[in-house]
Amino acid sequence: MNLTDQFNRRLSYLRLSITDLCNYRCSYCLPDGYQGKAKPDELTLPEIETLSAVFAQNGTRKVRLTGGEPTLRRDLPEIIATVRANPEIESIALTTNAFKLGKNFADYHAAGLDKLNISIDSFDPETFYQITGKRECTNILHDLDSILESGFYSIKVNTLLLKKYADKTLPDALEFVKNRPVTLRFIELMQTGDNFQFFDQQHISASTIERSLIEQGWQLRPRDAHAGPAREYYHADFSGGIGFIAPYSKDFCNSCNRLRITAQGKMHLCLFGGVAYDLRDFLRRDDRAGLTQYLHETMLLKPEHHYLHDKKVGLITNLSMTGG
């Protein structure tokens, strides 16, 4: 039986964080860097096996592995293979800052990874450093092009919209996708528990850029089954596409199909909800029947929409907690 909420939304997309640890110092998330070491209570491989099996048997068709920075877990290939072992799962995606991606991608792909999202907030090395605290822009772009040359095209680039850099954002994006079969998605800055001042200074709506694209002849692409909330556009003169993830836009939550689980096994029915539902006891006991019943009961509590417009950010202090 598929997981469905009270608004008849089928919840077929699971975002699973496997670590809170991150090695970047992004101005909008962890400007002072991650404090301390990885938490010792991250989900274990057997727990992930139980989790993925139960979700697969209850209608999950897409799993995205997130963090923190998921590639910091040395057992990531084993995690991918564990999820891939469920025949019901149609796609496994990874969201990463691409640190050392060139070195490890072949292992991830061999384990069963078939979709890749890379966070690149600027294509200018100095701007990239200002945003992330890392001088990795050139290396990441080289690795991305190498992966494309290998024949792997299921790549999307995530670029956060920040008011400070807005003037160069669209021209750089158009140049990037001109000859690359890659979709670049602009993501609106979201308010979290510790970025209120930064949000007020740097938030910019995606609507202006989106209107500009439409005026230039870009057309909306039909939404894939089990896809996230992005609106994606294509143009005959470009190899790649441009997309938008705009959580402050009207009706953003209407087609929500996502559930999120933290690296400690807590389920968030909404990214900005005020309650986290602890699945850990079911996972430790490998209680698949109990977890199945609990999930179906809990789905009825999923809210119709978030309350970001009212500056209610729920439990999310920063996005490294759930991977966005």
Side-chain angles (χ1 to χ4, degrees):
M1 185 186 299
N2 295 328
L3 295 176
T4 306
D5 68 12
Q6 62 176 320
F7 306 102
N8 204 33
R9 296 176 297 195
R10 182 185 167 192
L11 305 168
S12 61
Y13 177 9
L14 176 65
R15 297 179 62 102
L16 174 61
S17 175
I18 57 175
T19 184
D20 291 340
L21 187 64
C22 187
N23 56 340
Y24 274 36
R25 300 192 304 274
C26 294
S27 57
Y28 53 85
C29 185
L30 294 172
D32 298 321
Y34 186 88
Q35 302 300 306
K37 298 179 181 180
K39 296 176 181 176
D41 59 348
E42 292 173 344
L43 290 171
T44 65
L45 203 58
E47 288 173 331
I48 291 172
E49 180 181 7
T50 297
L51 179 72
S52 61
V54 170
F55 273 85
Q57 292 160 12
N58 287 276
T60 294
R61 297 296 174 259
K62 177 179 179 180
V63 175
R64 177 173 300 282
L65 300 174
T66 70
E69 174 46 45
T71 61
L72 295 179
R73 274 195 65 157
R74 294 180 180 178
D75 60 349
L76 178 55
E78 289 79 13
I79 293 173
I80 294 169
T82 295
V83 178
R84 175 52 68 200
N86 299 288
E88 301 92 345
I89 301 297
E90 298 172 6
S91 69
I92 303 173
L94 176 71
T95 294
T96 174
N97 62 29
F99 184 76
K100 294 186 177 179
L101 181 63
K103 177 182 177 182
N104 298 317
F105 175 73
D107 291 338
Y108 303 154
H109 191 204
L113 185 74
D114 52 19
K115 295 181 184 297
L116 186 62
N117 284 48
I118 301 176
S119 299
I120 307 177
D121 291 320
S122 175
F123 301 112
D124 175 74
E126 189 57 35
T127 302
F128 184 94
Y129 172 71
Q130 292 174 17
I131 296 174
T132 67
K134 293 287 184 178
R135 296 196 180 277
E136 291 291 334
C137 183
T138 302
N139 295 333
I140 290 169
L141 293 176
H142 176 268
D143 288 346
L144 189 156
D145 284 336
S146 295
I147 292 170
L148 287 172
E149 289 170 8
S150 76
F152 186 93
Y153 299 130
S154 297
I155 302 176
K156 294 182 179 180
V157 171
N158 294 336
T159 297
L160 190 74
L161 282 174
L162 296 172
K163 188 180 295 184
K164 181 177 181 180
Y165 308 107
D167 289 346
K168 288 202 67 183
T169 297
L170 183 57
D172 285 355
L174 292 175
E175 181 180 351
F176 182 78
V177 303
K178 179 68 177 176
N179 298 305
R180 290 181 178 90
V182 168
T183 297
L184 183 147
R185 289 110 55 88
F186 292 118
I187 302 177
E188 281 187 353
L189 178 66
M190 291 176 277
Q191 195 159 71
T192 59
D194 63 359
N195 78 347
F196 276 73
Q197 184 177 358
F198 186 89
F199 177 86
D200 289 339
Q201 293 171 346
Q202 295 298 334
H203 178 262
I204 180 172
S205 172
S207 59
T208 301
I209 297 176
E210 191 168 358
R211 284 196 300 270
S212 176
L213 275 185
I214 294 171
E215 290 169 359
Q216 295 173 43
W218 288 74
Q219 298 181 56
L220 188 64
R221 191 185 304 277
R223 189 169 177 267
D224 293 337
H226 319 302
R231 295 190 298 273
E232 297 186 353
Y233 291 81
Y234 69 96
H235 193 292
D237 296 335
F238 288 77
S239 295
I242 298 287
F244 298 89
I245 299 177
Y248 292 87
S249 62
K250 185 176 181 293
D251 300 330
F252 178 77
C253 301
N254 283 6
S255 59
C256 183
N257 60 352
R258 297 172 304 292
L259 296 167
R260 294 171 172 85
I261 296 179
T262 71
Q264 288 73 41
K266 291 182 170 59
M267 181 171 65
H268 292 246
L269 300 178
C270 172
L271 176 58
F272 296 99
V275 181
Y277 300 87
D278 197 346
L279 309 182
R280 202 65 184 267
D281 192 44
F282 296 108
L283 301 178
R284 284 176 174 148
R285 292 186 285 111
D286 191 26
D287 182 2
R288 303 188 181 198
L291 178 56
T292 297
Q293 181 179 345
Y294 183 73
L295 290 177
H296 283 281
E297 292 171 353
T298 308
M299 291 309 105
L300 300 179
L301 304 175
K302 184 174 171 67
E304 185 176 10
H305 52 75
H306 62 59
Y307 292 92
L308 284 177
H309 293 286
D310 301 325
K311 294 189 178 295
K312 294 180 180 178
V313 300
L315 301 176
I316 301 303
T317 303
N318 58 71
L319 291 175
S320 73
M321 293 173 60
T322 60

